[in-house]
Amino acid sequence: MPEPTKKDETENESAPPPPEQKTLQDGGTEKGKVWSIGEGAPEETEKRDDSQRSTLFIEKPQSGSVSVGGNITFIAKVEAKDLLRKPNVKWFKGKWMDLASKAGKHLQLKESFERHSKIHTFEMHIIQAKENYAGNYRCEVSYKDKFDSCSFDLEVTESSQAAPSIDIRSAFKRSGDGQDDAGELDFSGLLKRREIKQQEEEPEVDVWELLKNANPSEYEKIAFQYGITDLRGMLKRLKRMRREVKKSAAFAKGLDPAYQVDKGGKVRFMVELADPTVELKWYKNGQEIRPSAKYIFEHKGNQRILFINNCTMTDDARYYVTAGDEKCSTELFVRDPPILVTKALEDTSTYVGERVELSCEVSEDDANVKWFKNGVELTNEPKSRYRIKVEGKKHTLIIEEAAKNDNATYSVMTTGGQSEAKLSVDLRPLKISLALEDQTVRLGQEIHLKCEISENVEGKWYKNGQQIEASDRVKLYHKGRIHRFVIASAAVDDEGEYMFVPDAYNINIPCKVHVVDPPKLHLDGLGEDNTVTVVAGSKLRLEIPITGEPTPKVMWSKGDKWITDSGRIRAETYPDSSCLVIDTAEREDSGPFRITLKNEAGEDTALINIKVVDVPDPPQAPNVTEVGEDWCVMTWEPPANDGGSPILGYFIERKKKQSSRWMRLNFELCKETTFEPKKMIEGVAYEVRVFAVNAIGISKPSMPSKSFVPLAVTSPPTLLAVDSVTDTTVTMKWRPPDHIGAAGLDGYVVEYCFEGTDEWIVANPELTDKTKFTITGLPTNSKILVRVKAVNAAGESEPRYHPQPILVKEVIEPPKIRLPRHLKQTYTRRVGETVNLVIPFQGRPRAKVSWQKNGSPIDKNQINIRNTENDTIIFIRKAERNHSGEYDMKVEVENLVDKATIDIQIVDRPGPPEIVTIDDVWGENVNLSWKPPKDDGNAAITGYTIQKADKKSMEWFTVIEHYHRTSATINELVIGNEYYFRIFAENMCGLSEDATMTKESALIAKDGKIYKYPVYDDFDFSERPLFTQPLVNTFAVAGYNTTLNCSVRGNPKPKITWLKNKVVIMNDPRYRMFSNQGVCTLEIRKPSPYDGGTYSCRAVNELGEAEVECKLEVKGKGFKSLQMPCVSEHHLHQSQKYAREMQKGVQTTSLTL
């Protein structure tokens, strides 16, 4: 039994049933007669290659308009002058719906062929159009490689007649009078404009007004008086009319007013929520529905669905669903037991032209009964030969004038039974006075067929089983008992078996017509000189149309060799064509092929030239003649064989040597045999190859070239300067080049020349990889010029010159400390931080550095000192407060001295203030005073933070921040409450870790009244662990983080443990576990398919334990490596601090709860 659905869903289905199908819903009511194929905006035809598109239509279907219930025809015509076979035509609705499968009662597709004009006509008839037939249609015609398409629109307008008003009495009757929607309980349909068949006129009585104004005790009397059998449904409908409809904030889409289902069937309720997190509950007659085998709940996004299986009469009730404070209700009707056939049909015999009546009786009045003829349903339409009459329980099928084709088995069907009977219609005997004679006619002669029968009746002519209609070429004559068939000029297609069949008689008068025609080859489709070109390696199937009657004998040959019907090259013969087939064409197959036709009327022969072409051979491996930073120049030779078609150009590809992926470098053919690839990565080895292209296609690739590496020299070294000078040496220093490139840096070459000469002397025969070099063996007091070059695999860079000549003579440089600007003031660091100070200085030669702290030598076990020629470093790994003080630095060069002092201050958080006292309490105010902390953290106190707490809750709230004085007045306290106060000290490092709290409390008393505090027993908050939100099954994508969440409560605070497949998860960096305010979270970082499984969360405290679990499925292929991001020390410190604060906050909250 089909699942009952709402009427709105039935009418808006994207893929509805064909027009001839009838979907039985709502208790067997016919609601599928609507041919719904979607509205859809006009869609473009499918894209095809321009070379395949050609015009085939000579008349295209035009857009049209039709009224509801009317008929319309669309016509397309195709000329068959150049077509050897019938073209293929398809009709579409929208973009994809093929209407060939929808043909039936409301849609008919017809086609015909006019031999005289050689035009194919294709028609699409739409019968009794409905509103949802409107939209865009498309007609496609194709023949071999030709294709054409045309789009047109159909507009369906409403009928000019006004829709009849809805009759409450017919709407709430459970059985009808044989109409299409008889017995249908569709309350939502009452709100829509529906097509209702014309009924007998009755006195206009507004039953709704009677019900609204009547006493409830009179409802049953009114329902019986006006024939309303569904009293409960009527009352529900009346209640909804009185109730004002309000727009729901919780439901985006609610339930329909009513649903109907057959007994034993399945019904589906669906609502759509505006907020998917709202809790939903379903009720039946006020009782909450729980999930079971009968009641099934389903979630799809914002949709919440209830299925009721195996419906019984007890399920006929009122249902509603609640979301928060809002409720949405509906009514379910279960169909009554089926209707039975109480009096069966009887077999009947009659004669042609007489009136026939077939009658039966059913168990209920005005029941919905269907009539069938040989299994095909009969309808009571005005133009039908069959008329259905209903009189209470009696149903009669009437045939006014019986015909021979009325011989059939007629059956009647109800929802609870069926009956059938045979109708026999006999004919009077018919005699043949003059039979048709066989004829042999030459092409172009007249065909004249004549017969005579004993009765003056109409008849039909047939050729080879197909009926022949009269036309300009075919003449049909009937005079009295004589019938004649005349074709003035015989054609080859006129040969066949002809037959005359009198109407209403099972008699046929046959004859044969034989038309003789000499054989002929039709080579119009071939090119010049009957040449056919085929690509080597492909299959050739050359079809040559032939004509001739009788069918001629076909023979193929190449030279002196006859071609048989088997092998790689073979001939295939068909009644109207002959095919030359070459399975795998080779270049040796080129040449003339002869075809010969023979029959008793003559002979015809022709030569057909076959030309086999192929793709060119691959070129030779290319040569790379020049290489640059990101480019190269390559050349190659054309291929030795062009495949029978001129070379059009070349495609070039390249790849990295270690890769297997080739990349196309040009998308337009290269006409030359030289190409310059660009945009390569410097320092990476590449290979290139070439493809040759002709009109047939692309050749195989050439062999790869020898690998090559794009390289470039570096930029010149930078910051060339004199480091030191002695009487015989000069030490130079420099910085590496700004741009080195992929070739790297092999080293440096240092050259010098004496002032006044141009001869540059290499100071280092071997490359040096350091940025400092000493030139030795120089004469004292001479002047030299120096330059430095960087060298790599691509060669030497441009030189970097020292701007001035250098005098070779040692110079004493007095010491000088270059104290950084930030060290000229007090250098401040917090306890635990690292102190790393670099103080550069100058002084030549051999400068000596010494340090002292507060006038005493430095303890090297606590402070590390490292000296170089140019600077000194003081390093403290973990600063402490005793490291504070003045550090004296002294630099000595021979008898010259330079000194500097650095003040280092190591600070920490201050201690809490000393005694906090409550000086006075008045009104809503409290005056506090305190003493500064003994320990200021080696930094000035910048302020105080004051907090208050009610004695009942002891929850602390900040009252004043950054307060500078040591006394304060707290205002706006609540009368009747008793408060404690605490104070934090603050310096540049932050608040003190502890606070000083008042020993006594301050009572804010109300004037004139003394508050008596009630005595309460302490409440026991102890509770064993309980999961308030369980884990849910989860799908994850491989490589993307996912989380599992649940919530738990318990006191004392339970210990949380996570398990995978019953194994505890411990010390695994791929998992991160969080717990905040009772919400437990397990984060799985970049999961792989192997991370799937059953995960459990276990909560344990001294009162017991609880556990929930879920399944995790990871979708995706492959694995991704787990990478730990690089975290700076500052970020790590901040993360640890945040974790400690979160932990403290959770603990405080748990204690408070």
Side-chain angles (χ1 to χ4, degrees):
M1 180 176 293
E3 179 182 334
T5 58
K6 297 176 287 186
K7 186 171 182 179
D8 291 345
E9 294 176 351
T10 303
E11 294 179 352
N12 294 328
E13 290 178 350
S14 60
E20 68 274 18
Q21 297 179 359
K22 297 174 176 58
T23 305
L24 298 180
Q25 301 183 11
D26 291 321
T29 302
E30 294 181 20
K31 296 177 63 177
K33 291 189 177 180
V34 178
W35 181 36
S36 176
I37 46 182
E39 289 294 327
E43 299 285 343
E44 296 182 356
T45 58
E46 297 180 12
K47 296 183 179 179
R48 297 176 180 258
D49 189 32
D50 292 338
S51 62
Q52 296 180 350
R53 181 177 290 277
S54 61
T55 302
L56 294 174
F57 285 120
I58 60 173
E59 180 178 340
K60 298 182 178 180
Q62 304 296 323
S63 299
S65 176
V66 66
S67 299
V68 174
N71 303 336
I72 190 170
T73 301
F74 297 93
I75 300 175
K77 293 184 178 181
V78 179
E79 187 175 11
K81 182 178 180 182
D82 298 328
L83 308 182
L84 300 177
R85 296 180 182 176
K86 185 185 72 175
N88 184 24
V89 174
K90 293 184 179 180
W91 299 84
F92 293 87
K93 173 69 167 65
K95 186 173 183 180
W96 304 112
M97 183 177 289
D98 189 351
L99 299 182
S101 61
K102 308 299 181 183
K105 176 180 177 181
H106 295 275
L107 175 68
Q108 296 181 3
L109 304 178
K110 295 184 178 180
E111 58 184 53
S112 60
F113 177 68
E114 179 59 43
R115 297 185 181 275
H116 181 69
S117 59
K118 293 187 176 181
I119 294 177
H120 290 278
T121 302
F122 302 89
E123 300 178 359
M124 181 178 72
H125 300 277
I126 296 179
I127 303 169
Q128 297 181 1
K130 298 186 179 181
E131 291 182 355
N132 56 355
Y133 288 16
N136 179 257
Y137 291 76
R138 188 173 79 255
C139 179
E140 290 184 359
V141 59
S142 59
Y143 178 79
K144 293 186 177 180
D145 59 343
K146 298 181 180 180
F147 174 81
D148 202 356
S149 176
C150 174
S151 296
F152 56 95
D153 297 320
L154 172 62
E155 180 183 1
V156 180
T157 59
E158 296 182 359
S159 177
S160 59
Q161 299 178 357
S165 61
I166 299 174
D167 185 6
I168 178 178
R169 288 168 289 174
S170 62
F172 287 94
K173 288 183 179 179
R174 290 194 178 270
S175 61
D177 54 359
Q179 297 181 358
D180 287 344
D181 44 357
E184 178 179 344
L185 295 177
D186 186 8
F187 305 107
S188 60
L190 297 173
L191 305 178
K192 301 181 179 180
R193 180 174 62 244
R194 301 171 58 203
E195 179 181 353
I196 301 178
K197 296 187 178 181
Q198 188 68 30
Q199 300 180 355
E200 297 181 3
E201 295 184 359
E202 297 180 3
E204 296 184 358
V205 178
D206 193 346
V207 182
W208 288 119
E209 292 298 328
L210 292 177
L211 293 172
K212 292 178 181 179
N213 300 325
N215 191 291
S217 61
E218 298 178 356
Y219 286 167
E220 186 173 359
K221 178 181 178 181
I222 295 174
F224 178 81
Q225 179 181 355
Y226 290 98
I228 299 173
T229 58
D230 187 11
L231 179 59
R232 188 161 62 89
M234 177 195 71
L235 297 178
K236 298 293 183 181
R237 169 70 172 166
L238 180 62
K239 184 177 180 180
R240 285 196 300 273
M241 292 183 62
R242 292 175 174 176
R243 184 170 61 243
E244 180 180 359
V245 180
K246 296 182 180 179
K247 184 176 181 181
S248 174
F251 295 98
K253 183 177 181 181
L255 297 171
D256 271 11
Y259 294 80
Q260 178 172 321
V261 65
D262 284 344
K263 183 178 180 181
K266 177 181 178 182
V267 70
R268 173 178 178 267
F269 297 143
M270 188 274 290
V271 295
E272 186 172 347
L273 297 178
D275 183 5
T277 62
V278 175
E279 184 179 2
L280 207 70
K281 291 186 179 180
W282 295 85
Y283 294 86
K284 171 186 174 181
N285 289 337
Q287 297 294 326
E288 184 177 357
I289 300 175
R290 298 293 184 181
S292 63
K294 182 177 182 67
Y295 301 100
I296 299 175
F297 297 90
E298 185 176 344
H299 293 190
K300 291 184 179 179
N302 287 5
Q303 295 182 355
R304 302 295 182 267
I305 304 172
L306 168 63
F307 291 93
I308 304 178
N309 298 320
N310 193 20
C311 292
T312 62
M313 298 305 294
T314 58
D315 295 321
D316 191 309
R318 175 177 176 82
Y319 295 79
Y320 66 89
V321 58
T322 62
D325 296 331
E326 295 197 26
K327 180 172 71 173
C328 181
S329 61
T330 186
E331 192 78 15
L332 175 63
F333 293 86
V334 181
R335 177 183 168 85
D336 289 335
I339 299 172
L340 304 177
V341 179
T342 58
K343 182 178 180 182
L345 298 174
E346 297 179 356
D347 295 342
T348 305
S349 299
T350 186
Y351 296 100
V352 174
E354 294 187 357
R355 189 173 188 268
V356 179
E357 291 187 0
L358 299 176
S359 301
C360 70
E361 292 184 3
V362 296
S363 58
E364 292 187 13
D365 292 340
D366 300 330
N368 185 16
V369 175
K370 294 185 179 181
W371 290 85
F372 298 87
K373 175 184 176 182
N374 291 334
V376 179
E377 183 179 358
L378 301 177
T379 58
N380 197 15
E381 298 180 354
K383 296 182 180 180
S384 175
R385 297 181 61 252
Y386 305 96
R387 185 163 58 89
I388 300 173
K389 182 179 179 183
V390 180
E391 296 176 345
K393 298 181 180 179
K394 183 177 181 181
H395 294 254
T396 306
L397 175 66
I398 301 174
I399 306 175
E400 294 294 342
E401 294 183 2
K404 187 64 179 177
N405 56 7
D406 291 328
N407 273 313
T409 299
Y410 293 83
S411 59
V412 62
M413 182 181 296
T414 66
T415 58
Q418 62 180 6
S419 175
E420 65 179 24
K422 294 184 179 179
L423 174 63
S424 176
V425 181
D426 298 328
L427 294 174
R428 295 183 180 89
L430 183 69
K431 297 181 180 180
I432 302 174
S433 304
L434 178 63
L436 297 176
E437 298 180 354
D438 296 341
Q439 295 186 12
T440 300
V441 182
R442 294 189 63 83
L443 191 68
Q445 292 183 348
E446 182 184 68
I447 300 176
H448 189 180
L449 304 178
K450 179 180 177 182
C451 67
E452 183 177 353
I453 57 180
S454 61
E455 299 293 333
N456 184 10
V457 295
E458 296 288 339
K460 296 181 177 61
W461 291 87
Y462 294 86
K463 174 190 172 185
N464 298 329
Q466 300 292 328
Q467 183 179 351
I468 302 174
E469 301 289 345
S471 63
D472 295 339
R473 185 170 178 272
V474 179
K475 306 296 184 182
L476 303 180
Y477 300 97
H478 173 212
K479 185 176 180 181
R481 297 177 297 173
I482 299 175
H483 296 266
R484 292 189 300 141
F485 175 91
V486 178
I487 298 178
S489 178
V492 176
D493 295 339
D494 294 331
E495 181 174 349
E497 294 184 0
Y498 289 80
M499 179 173 57
F500 176 75
V501 179
D503 290 347
Y505 286 89
N506 190 18
I507 297 176
N508 61 78
I509 307 173
C511 72
K512 294 183 179 180
V513 176
H514 182 52
V515 179
V516 179
D517 185 25
K520 184 178 181 181
L521 291 166
H522 299 272
L523 306 176
D524 299 338
L526 300 181
E528 296 182 2
D529 301 329
N530 294 340
T531 300
V532 177
T533 303
V534 62
V535 178
S538 62
K539 182 176 180 179
L540 171 65
R541 184 178 180 87
L542 178 61
E543 182 178 0
I544 305 298
I546 62 176
T547 57
E549 188 63 32
T551 302
K553 180 180 180 182
V554 183
M555 295 173 289
W556 287 85
S557 64
K558 181 182 181 184
D560 298 335
K561 184 178 180 181
W562 294 97
I563 298 175
T564 63
D565 58 354
S566 63
R568 185 177 64 85
I569 303 177
R570 61 185 182 274
E572 298 178 357
T573 303
Y574 301 95
D576 58 348
S577 64
S578 179
C579 290
L580 175 65
V581 180
I582 303 177
D583 282 337
T584 304
E586 300 176 357
R587 294 183 183 178
E588 292 77 10
D589 297 333
S590 299
F593 286 74
R594 179 179 295 278
I595 180 174
T596 303
L597 304 181
K598 289 184 179 180
N599 73 351
E600 62 186 33
E603 179 180 344
D604 193 10
T605 184
L607 284 176
I608 300 174
N609 296 317
I610 304 297
K611 182 181 178 181
V612 181
V613 294
D614 198 358
V615 297
D617 292 342
Q620 296 296 322
N623 296 321
V624 178
T625 59
E626 189 176 353
V627 177
E629 179 179 0
D630 63 347
W631 55 271
C632 72
V633 176
M634 56 182 290
T635 61
W636 63 91
E637 295 296 331
N641 189 341
D642 62 0
S645 180
I647 299 296
L648 301 178
Y650 302 90
F651 285 122
I652 296 90
E653 291 184 348
R654 78 165 183 228
K655 76 173 182 68
K656 298 176 182 178
K657 184 177 180 180
Q658 302 301 328
S659 173
S660 60
R661 178 176 173 269
W662 289 91
M663 183 178 67
R664 179 70 58 84
L665 299 182
N666 62 318
F667 295 96
E668 294 183 0
L669 289 176
C670 175
K671 306 295 184 181
E672 306 296 333
T673 57
T674 301
F675 189 76
E676 183 178 340
K678 296 180 179 181
K679 296 183 179 179
M680 291 184 285
I681 301 174
E682 182 184 357
V684 177
Y686 287 91
E687 293 177 349
V688 292
R689 67 181 183 183
V690 183
F691 295 82
V693 182
N694 64 3
I696 306 306
I698 302 176
S699 71
K700 294 182 179 179
S702 68
M703 293 298 294
S705 67
K706 295 181 180 179
S707 61
F708 61 93
V709 179
L711 295 174
V713 298
T714 67
S715 61
T718 60
L719 302 177
L720 179 61
V722 178
D723 185 61
S724 64
V725 180
T726 67
D727 291 340
T728 58
T729 62
V730 173
T731 302
M732 305 297 296
K733 63 179 180 179
W734 61 90
R735 301 295 294 169
D738 293 333
H739 175 71
I740 295 178
L745 179 63
D746 296 337
Y748 300 94
V749 174
V750 181
E751 298 177 343
Y752 68 94
C753 72
F754 293 98
E755 187 178 23
T757 66
D758 295 332
E759 181 183 356
W760 288 93
I761 303 171
V762 178
N764 55 328
E766 295 183 0
L767 297 178
T768 178
D769 57 352
K770 298 182 180 179
T771 57
K772 187 176 183 181
F773 186 80
T774 301
I775 304 173
T776 61
L778 298 176
T780 306
N781 294 326
S782 61
K783 290 185 178 182
I784 62 172
L785 298 174
V786 181
R787 68 183 184 185
V788 180
K789 299 178 183 177
V791 181
N792 65 1
E796 296 181 350
S797 69
E798 293 293 327
R800 174 68 66 184
Y801 292 91
H802 191 272
Q804 298 176 353
I806 303 171
L807 178 62
V808 183
K809 184 178 181 181
E810 187 173 7
V811 178
I812 297 177
E813 181 180 359
K816 184 177 182 181
I817 300 174
R818 298 187 177 276
L819 194 65
R821 180 176 299 177
H822 67 282
L823 296 180
K824 294 180 180 180
Q825 301 175 358
T826 300
Y827 181 75
T828 304
R829 278 291 180 269
R830 296 185 180 182
V831 171
E833 292 184 347
T834 300
V835 177
N836 188 13
L837 303 178
V838 180
I839 300 96
F841 62 85
Q842 63 185 27
R844 303 290 179 184
R846 296 172 295 279
K848 296 181 180 180
V849 181
S850 60
W851 285 89
Q852 287 186 342
K853 175 187 176 185
N854 297 328
S856 302
I858 292 178
D859 185 2
K860 293 184 179 180
N861 294 327
Q862 296 183 1
I863 302 174
N864 296 323
I865 303 294
R866 189 182 68 179
N867 299 324
T868 65
E869 294 181 358
N870 300 317
D871 54 35
T872 180
I873 300 174
I874 180 171
F875 177 76
I876 303 174
R877 184 175 302 277
K878 190 173 182 181
E880 298 179 0
R881 291 174 60 177
N882 57 7
H883 292 149
S884 302
E886 292 185 355
Y887 290 76
D888 298 323
M889 174 185 174
K890 181 171 67 174
V891 180
E892 297 177 307
V893 176
E894 295 184 356
N895 297 326
L896 302 176
V897 179
D898 192 15
K899 297 181 180 181
T901 300
I902 301 174
D903 187 8
I904 298 178
Q905 182 181 7
I906 308 301
V907 297
D908 197 2
R909 290 186 179 185
E914 294 193 33
I915 302 172
V916 179
T917 58
I918 300 175
D919 294 339
D920 191 10
V921 178
W922 74 97
E924 300 175 358
N925 309 309
V926 174
N927 188 20
L928 303 175
S929 65
W930 61 92
K931 293 181 180 180
K934 292 182 179 180
D935 182 11
D936 60 358
N938 205 20
I941 299 298
T942 59
Y944 300 91
T945 296
I946 305 172
Q947 294 183 345
K948 68 177 181 180
D950 187 4
K951 184 178 180 181
K952 297 177 183 179
S953 63
M954 289 307 293
E955 292 186 9
W956 294 97
F957 298 94
T958 300
V959 180
I960 303 176
E961 291 181 313
H962 313 303
Y963 189 73
H964 298 285
R965 300 173 63 186
T966 57
S967 62
T969 300
I970 311 302
N971 304 320
E972 298 180 357
L973 298 175
V974 178
I975 295 176
N977 287 2
E978 190 172 356
Y979 292 92
Y980 285 96
F981 299 90
R982 68 180 182 184
I983 301 175
F984 293 87
E986 182 180 5
N987 65 3
M988 62 182 297
C989 294
L991 296 177
S992 60
E993 294 184 0
D994 300 322
T996 302
M997 189 175 70
T998 58
K999 295 181 180 181
E1000 298 84 10
S1001 60
L1003 175 62
I1004 310 301
K1006 188 173 182 180
D1007 295 340
K1009 293 184 179 180
I1010 299 176
Y1011 178 72
K1012 184 178 181 181
Y1013 294 97
V1015 178
Y1016 297 101
D1017 295 334
D1018 293 337
F1019 182 77
D1020 185 8
F1021 288 96
S1022 299
E1023 182 182 13
R1024 65 176 296 165
L1026 174 64
F1027 283 93
T1028 58
Q1029 178 64 38
L1031 295 172
V1032 296
N1033 294 337
T1034 305
F1035 290 91
V1037 180
Y1040 293 88
N1041 292 1
T1042 186
T1043 59
L1044 304 177
N1045 300 280
C1046 62
S1047 61
V1048 65
R1049 71 184 185 193
N1051 192 16
K1053 181 180 178 181
K1055 178 181 178 182
I1056 304 299
T1057 305
W1058 287 91
L1059 304 92
K1060 176 186 176 184
N1061 297 329
K1062 304 301 182 180
V1063 178
V1064 177
I1065 300 173
M1066 295 180 63
N1067 301 326
D1068 193 335
R1070 295 182 298 116
Y1071 298 94
R1072 296 176 61 190
M1073 306 172 191
F1074 305 96
S1075 178
N1076 186 13
Q1077 298 292 335
V1079 178
C1080 305
T1081 302
L1082 174 65
E1083 179 182 2
I1084 306 174
R1085 305 183 62 187
K1086 298 183 179 179
S1088 67
Y1090 291 108
D1091 289 322
T1094 301
Y1095 286 81
S1096 306
C1097 182
R1098 181 183 298 163
V1100 181
N1101 68 3
E1102 59 187 24
L1103 298 180
E1105 68 176 26
E1107 184 174 342
V1108 292
E1109 66 179 24
C1110 71
K1111 292 184 179 180
L1112 173 66
E1113 181 179 347
V1114 182
K1115 296 184 177 180
K1117 296 182 179 180
F1119 302 93
K1120 297 186 177 179
S1121 61
L1122 184 64
Q1123 299 179 356
M1124 294 298 293
C1126 181
V1127 182
S1128 66
E1129 183 179 356
H1130 174 70
H1131 290 167
L1132 182 60
H1133 175 71
Q1134 292 295 328
S1135 300
Q1136 295 173 350
K1137 177 182 176 183
Y1138 175 75
R1140 289 196 301 268
E1141 292 178 354
M1142 288 297 296
Q1143 184 176 6
K1144 290 180 180 179
V1146 172
Q1147 293 175 354
T1148 303
T1149 305
S1150 300
L1151 292 174
T1152 303
L1153 293 175

